């Protein structure tokens, strides 16, 4: 049935399940209580293209007037098609505003509508739709890589931002747009502005629409770019890049490996900010190669910003390839035998993977280049989402320009669509000189303010205002404590370095969406800055009181100039670098690149395991209960696994998503009660703090949770307690077993049945096995890191990390009360595999009376199970641990 059939008659009832009464359409203005169908009797045109009705046959038909208000709702559908759910707006009388996209344009428009004073009953119902549950302050994504900001500061949840407003947030993606506000209407007849189809199947009918969907990264530009390059436009992209960098840093830990190579395609603002941030992070462990089609960087930036950026890039020795375009990206492997690059992994014999970029000269006088990289970041090109959202049977219903952006009037209304507004990257709007407005946050900020006001004016029959963009200036980050700001209202003024950095953060703090979030972020940044300033003052005083050094007569180099530029900045000097876990600066600030992602306790949907965070005596722990624990017929039928996470004693927690998923899987497979211990981390809490917290948790478990925890009281078999951990966690588990050997350490009726040391962290001054191939720098680094986490220790001869260093230490290990010990190693764990094998050999030779088992995972590296839990080797390792627990 076509929408054209009986357009003013009452439509027949739909086939299939009828729509609920809440789905019926009513006028938002209180005059008519039902809608009439304004379908055109004649065709309308877009340019020279006729489009009959502009409405596809599948569009919902508008309502016909009925004095009683009893109106039906129908749409054409097939016999087997079920009616799609209609979004239930809370109020049937007030106007309905649907905002698509929760970026700067969409969110700030919603907040602007909320802040305005509305006469009578005209305050609209506002729905904000976004595919993410977080608003992202995109100009500060780079600070996630440098560790200057936390995720919550620049990516708060929409529900948190909108909790004190009437704005309704819906997490969903847009599938299809079907506007109807372009149709000719009969005088005095009201009608909906159109409908939006969401990916979830929900249909949203609206009176007013705001298109603020932004643009997507266009990555499939050259062969291989979509497969091997990463964009950097969303929070997910930033976290992915952070993860990739961390994996590269971890993969080179303890190895004599070539530097990490990062290629960045594009040197606009995004490319320059990425290059400066990543180069500063990698320091002497990596190289950044930046490629740009033009022969200058940031061609549209003010000269002051461009010059400041160029100075920073040159001072950081970033390799610039200006005047080049990328021809293709391909993957190759380094042959272990010859060191040559081959395209086939089998032919390479398991060599390292590399990406190769073939560069084509875009300017005369340049030669083609071939670059190698471990990571490729793509910052050029974007595409509008609107084109793919148009109805296939009316592909030009929303007018677009050649770049896929929506054509708008000066009032930000879409041309030919008086009830649809477009802002941000979705819109094509020009300045008075005829140039397109830049796709940046500043434009979206200002357009949101105008869009909110013009919606108010349109709903209240007031004149709309033409949008006028005021360029206040441009800002860019150039690393920690470095930025460039050029203000338009003061000609020739550019703030650089720490002053520019402070000014940029102040401006962005003031631009945060809500007053509450603005205050929270301001306090957080102020506190961090106060700590850094105090440390800087201490450094300056110490320098002033130290004896003068003999001045050098050598002329200063460019590197010297860059060093002097940050001489008084304590965050520019690294006190201790512990890749890939953390970096401590002389200011005392500690940067952990992994971030603070948290997986909440609760019921795991995959395994059915239930978890909770509790106090375990003076310590804290996350306790896990298997899904069938409630079916236990008698108390004490389940073994208990006390688990200690890894992370070099400096990072990690039971709430880290990978650790939490690992414990859920282990508890589900083994049917044991799991107790994952929160322990204090170095350097803020140096060892033996972690050992003390671990022992407090073990004592609490052996005491049955002091009788206060029902999970341990009702389900735990305290005679079957197992200690387990990975890496540094395995070291803690070992030391807990040693402490458990002390007289009276284990309460009567309880027993530590076994120890499971997975990829254990042990070391020593003298190399063992294949460690002889390590250079002296590796042994020196191991000594420095151990003294860093345990300043009061004896270094590598400390029994905590070298358990067989003395006869006394050997005797203590031999007396551990465990009946069985399982040692697990990984074939490709270059740094710690030999120590794991050594630990098993020495434990057996020490006179330990229990059973020792050894298990090796093939073709994988250190702590692989957290990233590859479902892989073949990951499953084998879990099954081996489960077998050990159930034996």
């Amino acid at each position: 049935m076509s929408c054209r059939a009986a357009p003013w008659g009452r439509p027949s009832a739909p086939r299939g399940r009828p729509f609920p009464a809440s789905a019926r359409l009513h006028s938002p203005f209180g005059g008519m209580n039902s809608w009439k169908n304004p379908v055109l009797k004649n065709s309308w045109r877009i340019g020279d293209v006729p489009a009959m009705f502009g409405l596809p046959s599948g569009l919902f038909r508008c309502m016909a007037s009925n004095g009683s208000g009893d109106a039906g709702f129908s749409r054409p559908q097939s016999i087997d098609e079920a009616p799609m759910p209609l979004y239930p707006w809370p109020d049937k009388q007030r106007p309905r505003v649907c905002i698509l996209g929760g970026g700067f344009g969409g969110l700030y428009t919603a907040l602007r509508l909320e802040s305005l004073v509305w006469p009578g009953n005209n305050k609209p119902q506002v729905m904000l739709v976004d595919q993410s549950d977080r608003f992202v302050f995109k100009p500060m994504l780079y600070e996630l890589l440098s560790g200057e900001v936390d995720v919550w500061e620049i990516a708060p949840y929409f529900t948190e931002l909108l909790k004190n407003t009437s704005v309704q947030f819906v997490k969903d993606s847009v599938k299809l747009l079907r506007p109807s506000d372009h149709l000719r209407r009969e005088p005095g007849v009201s009608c909906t502005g159109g409908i939006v189809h969401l990916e979830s199947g929900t249909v949203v009918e609206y009176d007013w629409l705001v298109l603020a969907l932004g643009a997507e990264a266009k990555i499939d530009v050259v062969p291989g770019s979509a497969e091997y390059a990463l964009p950097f436009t969303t929070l997910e992209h930033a976290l992915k890049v952070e993860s990739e960098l961390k994996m590269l840093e971890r993969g080179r830990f303890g190895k004599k490996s070539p530097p990490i190579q990062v290629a960045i395609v594009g040197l606009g603002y995004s490319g320059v900010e990425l290059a400066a941030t990543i180069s500063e992070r990698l320091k002497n462990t990596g190289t950044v190669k930046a490629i740009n089609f033009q022969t200058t960087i940031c061609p549209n930036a003010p000269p002051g910003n461009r010059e400041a950026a160029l100075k920073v890039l040159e001072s950081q020795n970033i390799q610039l390839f200006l005047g080049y375009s990328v021809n293709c990206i391909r993957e190759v492997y380094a042959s272990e035998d010859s060191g040559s690059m081959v395209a086939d992994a089998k032919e390479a014999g398991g060599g390292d993977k590399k990406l190769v970029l073939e560069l084509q000269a875009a300017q005369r006088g340049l030669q083609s280049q071939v670059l190698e990289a471990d990571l490729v970041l793509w910052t050029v090109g974007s595409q509008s989402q609107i084109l793919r959202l148009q109805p296939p049977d009316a592909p030009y219903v929303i007018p677009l320009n050649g770049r896929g952006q929506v054509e708008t009037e000066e009032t930000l209304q879409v041309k030919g669509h008086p009830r649809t507004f477009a802002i941000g990257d979705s819109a094509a709007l020009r300045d008075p000189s005829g140039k397109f407005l830049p796709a940046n946050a500043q434009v979206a900020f200002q357009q949101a303010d105008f869009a909110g006001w013009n919606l108010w004016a349109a709903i209240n029959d007031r004149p709309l205002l033409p949008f006028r963009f005021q360029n206040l200036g441009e800002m860019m980050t150039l690393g920690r404590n470095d930025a460039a700001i050029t203000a338009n209202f003061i000609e020739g003024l550019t703030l650089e370095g720490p002053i520019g950095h402070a000014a940029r953060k102040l401006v962005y703090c003031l631009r945060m969406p809500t007053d509450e979030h603005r205050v929270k972020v301001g306090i957080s940044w102020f506190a961090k800055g106060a700590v850094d300033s105090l440390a800087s003052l201490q450094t300056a005083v110490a320098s002033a009181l130290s004896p003068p050094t003999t001045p050098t007569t050598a002329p200063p180099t460019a590197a010297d100039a860059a060093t002097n530029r940050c001489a008084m900045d304590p965050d520019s000097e690294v006190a201790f670098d512990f890749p890939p876990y953390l970096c401590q600066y002389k200011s005392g600030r500690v940067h952990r690149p992994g971030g603070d992602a948290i997986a909440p306790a609760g019921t795991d949907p995959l395994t059915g395991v239930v978890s909770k965070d509790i106090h375990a005596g003076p310590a804290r722990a996350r306790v896990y209960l298997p899904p069938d624990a409630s079916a236990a017929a008698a108390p004490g039928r389940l073994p208990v696994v006390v688990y200690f996470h890894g992370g070099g004693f400096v990072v990690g927690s039971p709430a880290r998503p990978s650790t939490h998923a690992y414990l859920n899987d282990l508890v589900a497979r083994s049917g044991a009660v799991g107790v994952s211990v929160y322990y204090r981390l170095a350097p803020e809490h140096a060892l033996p703090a972690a050992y003390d917290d671990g022992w407090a948790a073990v004592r609490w478990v052996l005491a049955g949770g002091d009788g206060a925890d029902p999970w341990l009281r009702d389900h735990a078999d305290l005679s079957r307690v197992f200690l387990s951990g990975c890496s540094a966690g395995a070291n803690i588990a070992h030391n807990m077993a040693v402490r458990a050997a002390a007289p009276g350490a284990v309460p009567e009726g309880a027993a530590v049945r076994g120890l499971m040391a997975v990829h254990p962290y042990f070391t020593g001054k003298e190399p063992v096995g294949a460690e002889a191939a390590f250079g002296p720098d590796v042994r020196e680094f191991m000594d420095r890191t151990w003294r860093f986490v345990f300043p009061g220790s004896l270094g590598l001869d400390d029994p905590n990390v070298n358990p067989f260093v003395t006869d006394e230490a050997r005797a203590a290990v031999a007396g551990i009360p465990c009946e069985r010990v399982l040692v697990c190693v990984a074939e490709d764990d270059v740094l710690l595999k030999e120590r794991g094998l050594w630990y098993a050999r020495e434990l057996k030779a020490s006179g330990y009376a229990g059973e020792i088992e050894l298990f090796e995972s093939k073709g994988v590296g250190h702590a692989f199970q957290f990233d590859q839990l479902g892989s073949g080797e990951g499953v084998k390792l879990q099954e081996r641990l489960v077998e050990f627990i159930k034996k």
Side-chain angles (χ1 to χ4, degrees):
M1 178 183 292
S2 169
C3 274
R4 193 176 186 184
W8 290 278
R10 175 169 176 161
S12 59
R15 287 170 289 187
R17 181 173 56 86
F19 280 86
S22 61
R24 294 175 181 174
L25 310 179
H26 298 277
S27 168
F29 304 106
M32 301 179 64
N33 63 358
S34 58
W35 297 97
K36 292 186 178 180
N37 191 342
V39 179
L40 281 178
K41 298 177 181 178
N42 303 309
S43 65
W44 56 281
R45 303 178 68 87
I46 299 177
D48 296 326
V49 182
M52 290 299 296
F53 314 120
L55 286 174
S57 61
L59 177 62
F60 283 82
R61 289 184 292 163
C62 298
M63 295 305 304
S65 174
N66 187 295
S68 66
D70 181 17
F73 190 82
S74 177
R75 71 181 180 92
Q77 60 186 48
S78 66
I79 295 176
D80 298 327
E81 183 183 2
M84 286 183 287
L86 190 67
Y87 180 79
W89 292 90
D91 194 298
K92 299 178 182 179
Q93 299 299 319
R94 293 190 292 124
R96 302 164 298 179
V97 177
C98 180
I99 301 175
L100 303 181
F104 288 112
L107 175 63
Y108 285 65
T109 298
L111 294 174
R112 176 62 169 156
L113 290 171
E114 184 71 14
S115 68
L116 294 171
V117 178
W118 295 84
N121 194 36
N122 274 0
K123 183 176 181 179
Q125 305 166 85
V126 180
M127 170 199 280
L128 179 64
V129 181
D130 196 90
Q131 63 184 357
S132 173
D133 54 2
R134 292 177 182 264
F135 163 73
V136 181
F137 204 97
K138 291 185 178 181
M140 301 199 76
L141 282 175
Y142 312 97
E143 278 82 347
L144 280 180
L145 301 183
S146 66
E148 289 186 74
V149 301
D150 297 320
V151 171
W152 71 267
E153 295 171 341
I154 66 164
Y157 289 101
F158 283 111
T159 51
E160 181 69 19
L161 296 175
L162 301 173
K163 64 183 180 182
N164 296 321
T165 72
S166 61
V167 178
Q168 306 161 56
F169 172 69
V170 175
K171 181 182 177 183
D172 211 330
S173 298
V174 181
K175 183 177 183 180
L176 204 62
L177 301 174
R178 292 194 183 275
S180 60
D181 57 341
H182 58 293
L183 303 176
R184 182 182 302 169
R185 303 171 189 272
E186 292 295 323
V189 175
S190 300
C191 187
T192 175
I195 59 174
V196 174
H197 292 258
L198 302 180
E199 289 289 352
S200 63
T202 301
V203 174
V204 180
E205 188 177 48
Y206 61 85
D207 302 318
W208 304 88
L209 180 67
V210 178
L211 297 175
L213 290 167
E216 299 174 317
K218 186 173 176 59
I219 197 73
D220 55 340
V221 180
V222 300
S225 59
E227 293 84 357
Y228 305 119
L230 296 179
F232 195 84
T233 58
T234 67
L235 176 63
E236 290 71 24
H237 294 160
L239 295 178
K240 175 66 174 176
V241 172
E242 166 66 27
S243 175
E244 292 292 326
L245 286 172
K246 185 177 178 182
M247 289 181 63
L248 290 171
E249 291 166 337
R250 177 180 294 173
R252 282 159 172 74
F253 178 68
K255 300 180 183 179
K256 292 184 177 180
S257 302
I260 298 169
Q261 299 182 82
V262 178
I264 297 175
V265 181
L267 281 174
Y269 269 114
S270 181
V272 168
E273 291 175 296
L274 264 179
T277 301
I278 293 177
S279 178
E280 185 180 55
R281 168 174 171 160
L282 295 178
K283 297 182 177 64
N284 59 351
T285 66
T287 302
V288 174
K289 305 173 183 180
I291 306 142
N292 199 45
F293 181 81
Q294 295 165 303
T295 55
T296 183
I297 66 170
C298 298
N300 298 321
N305 279 13
R306 186 163 55 249
E307 292 168 6
L310 193 58
K311 283 191 295 184
V312 170
L313 297 186
E314 290 175 347
S315 69
Q316 293 184 0
N317 295 319
I318 295 172
Q319 300 178 22
L320 300 179
F321 294 85
L322 303 179
Y324 286 94
S325 62
V326 178
N327 196 38
C328 74
I329 305 175
R330 52 191 172 86
E331 188 179 59
V332 297
Y333 295 83
S335 174
E336 291 184 338
D337 298 330
S338 63
S340 60
M341 308 302 291
V342 296
D344 186 80
K346 294 181 179 179
E347 184 181 344
D352 293 333
K353 180 179 69 175
K354 285 282 186 179
L355 299 175
V356 171
L357 293 84
E358 296 183 3
L359 306 187
Q360 181 177 345
Q363 304 290 333
R364 290 184 178 180
L366 299 176
Q367 300 295 323
S368 299
Q369 301 269 1
V370 177
L371 306 181
E372 289 184 11
D374 300 293
L375 178 64
V376 178
L377 304 180
W378 197 277
T379 69
V380 292
S382 62
Q383 57 189 357
S384 171
Q385 302 184 52
I386 305 298
L387 182 61
R388 63 178 175 80
L389 300 179
Q390 303 231 49
D393 44 2
Y396 306 106
V397 66
I398 299 176
L400 306 178
N401 66 4
R403 302 193 303 181
Q405 295 173 304
V406 180
E407 292 282 4
T408 63
E409 307 287 356
E410 286 187 322
T411 57
L412 302 178
Q413 291 168 298
V414 176
K415 290 183 177 180
H417 294 263
R419 292 194 173 203
T420 304
F421 292 78
I423 59 177
D425 298 352
S426 299
L429 202 62
R430 300 175 185 266
D431 61 18
S433 66
K435 295 182 179 178
F436 282 108
L437 294 180
N440 59 31
Q442 184 181 179
V443 173
F445 280 138
Q446 297 183 27
Q447 288 181 333
D449 195 48
F450 272 79
W453 171 262
N454 281 346
L455 277 165
W456 181 94
I459 291 173
N460 291 287
D461 295 325
R462 303 290 181 85
L464 277 62
L465 297 177
F467 174 70
R468 294 291 183 264
F469 172 60
Q470 294 183 331
N471 190 351
L472 303 178
E474 299 183 21
M475 304 187 291
M476 64 192 308
T477 182
L478 296 171
R480 291 194 62 88
N481 289 315
D482 200 351
I485 299 180
T486 298
N488 252 22
F489 48 87
I490 305 179
E491 186 175 354
L493 175 65
T494 299
L495 301 179
E496 301 180 45
I499 295 177
H501 176 267
R504 177 176 176 270
K505 291 192 76 171
L506 176 61
V507 170
Y508 282 155
C509 182
L510 295 175
R511 279 294 192 180
M512 289 294 167
T514 65
D515 290 339
E516 181 180 349
H517 190 66
R518 199 173 297 130
V519 170
K520 288 180 180 178
V521 171
I523 292 174
S524 177
W525 289 355
F526 178 80
K528 294 175 184 177
V531 172
D532 293 348
S533 298
L534 179 60
S536 179
L537 178 62
Q538 292 172 338
T539 303
V541 171
S543 299
L545 297 178
S546 61
T549 57
T550 303
T552 178
T553 58
T557 64
D560 295 332
T563 302
N564 293 335
R565 186 167 174 249
C566 300
M568 296 304 295
D569 177 13
D571 273 341
S572 67
E573 297 182 74
V574 176
F576 189 84
D577 196 9
F578 191 176
Y581 300 124
L582 62 73
C583 182
Q584 185 180 46
Y585 294 87
K586 288 190 175 180
S587 67
R589 184 184 63 84
V590 175
H591 167 52
R592 293 178 169 89
D596 57 351
I598 292 176
T603 302
D604 180 51
L606 296 179
T607 62
V609 172
V610 183
S611 59
K612 63 179 180 180
D613 289 327
I614 61 171
H615 286 280
R620 291 176 58 240
R622 177 166 290 191
V623 183
Y624 297 79
L625 201 63
D628 57 349
S630 59
R637 65 174 288 186
L638 302 179
V640 182
V641 176
V642 182
Y643 183 81
F644 302 94
H645 65 82
F649 302 99
V650 297
V651 297
S653 84
R656 174 169 280 189
S658 57
T659 304
H660 182 62
Y662 175 81
L663 262 294
N664 279 324
D665 186 81
L666 181 63
V667 168
R669 291 176 182 270
S670 64
V673 176
V675 179
S676 185
V677 181
Y678 288 93
Y679 57 83
R680 288 170 289 172
L681 301 176
E684 295 89 344
H685 305 280
L687 290 177
Y691 294 142
D692 294 340
D693 291 345
W695 182 240
V698 171
R699 287 278 296 175
W700 178 82
V701 170
L702 293 173
D706 297 328
D709 182 70
W711 289 9
L712 287 179
R713 183 186 63 225
D714 299 339
H715 303 289
D717 182 354
L718 300 182
S719 68
R720 290 191 292 160
V721 174
F722 294 84
L723 304 177
S724 180
C726 180
S727 194
N731 175 285
I732 297 176
H734 157 82
N735 280 284
M736 297 305 98
V738 172
R739 290 195 183 193
V746 178
E748 185 177 353
V752 178
R753 183 70 61 87
L755 169 64
M756 300 181 291
V758 181
H759 311 168
Y761 173 68
F762 295 114
T763 185
K765 280 188 176 180
E766 299 299 325
V768 297
E771 289 181 354
F774 292 167
D777 54 329
V778 174
R779 191 67 47 215
E780 187 270 338
F781 178 77
M782 297 294 286
D783 183 73
R784 283 194 300 114
T785 54
W786 177 250
R787 293 180 186 274
F788 176 71
V789 300
F790 200 165
S793 76
L794 300 174
L796 299 187
D797 280 341
D798 191 316
N800 290 291
V801 74
N802 188 354
F804 306 103
V805 65
T806 64
D807 291 340
E808 182 181 0
R810 182 182 295 270
V813 177
I816 61 175
C818 310
E819 297 177 0
R820 292 176 287 123
V821 174
L822 172 63
V823 181
C824 301
V825 298
E827 183 180 25
D828 295 340
D829 187 352
V830 177
L831 198 63
L832 294 179
K833 174 186 173 182
E834 288 297 330
R835 283 290 160 173
L837 299 174
W838 165 84
Y839 177 75
R841 291 195 305 267
E842 292 297 317
L843 179 60
K844 184 176 182 179
S846 70
Y848 168 67
E851 179 183 346
I852 302 173
E853 303 175 27
L854 184 65
F855 178 79
E856 181 173 355
S857 300
K858 301 296 183 180
V860 290
H862 185 73
F864 77 96
Q865 66 271 26
F866 297 102
D867 295 326
Q868 305 174 43
L869 187 57
S871 67
E873 290 300 314
V875 171
K876 289 179 183 177
L877 176 60
Q878 291 291 72
E879 290 178 345
R880 187 66 183 84
L881 296 172
V882 170
E883 178 186 345
F884 184 83
I885 295 170
K886 292 183 174 182
K887 188 173 180 180

